[in-house]
Amino acid sequence: MTLAQSRLTAQSQISVPAEVRRRLGVGPGSVIDWHVEDDSIVVRRAGATTSLGLHAALFAKPPKRRTLKELKAGIGLEMKRRHARG
């Protein structure tokens, strides 16, 4: 079902149709996000995320397992980098 249509300008800009703005609850100065889901592009108000999207962002790649010795060494290097004088 098509809700509305927009035409792309020569500068590759579009206007968000009034019905879409009403449904999203956006107005001047609002930020919207564009997401790819399967073979579609989804437009959302910024901040209107789903738990599935949050999970994908946080756990997309599992962290590399490290030993306690490696963790302590990494912390030491980071502290030296942050507090280096020179």
Side-chain angles (χ1 to χ4, degrees):
M1 173 179 96
T2 300
L3 175 64
Q5 290 184 337
S6 295
R7 186 175 303 271
L8 197 64
T9 69
Q11 292 81 26
S12 298
Q13 297 174 331
I14 62 167
S15 293
V16 179
E19 179 60 23
V20 175
R21 291 192 312 267
R22 276 193 290 277
R23 288 193 180 204
L24 288 176
V26 298
S30 295
V31 177
I32 57 175
D33 290 331
W34 301 76
H35 297 273
V36 176
E37 291 184 4
D38 298 321
D39 61 346
S40 300
I41 303 295
V42 178
V43 180
R44 294 188 180 111
R45 280 187 316 252
T49 57
T50 64
S51 60
L52 182 61
L54 181 59
H55 186 274
L58 291 174
F59 303 108
K61 182 179 173 186
K64 180 181 173 186
R65 297 184 69 84
R66 300 183 190 276
T67 65
L68 183 57
K69 185 177 179 179
E70 291 172 321
L71 291 172
K72 286 182 177 181
I75 291 169
L77 288 173
E78 179 64 14
M79 290 297 108
K80 286 180 185 176
R81 185 192 68 78
R82 282 190 188 184
H83 301 290
R85 297 180 189 198

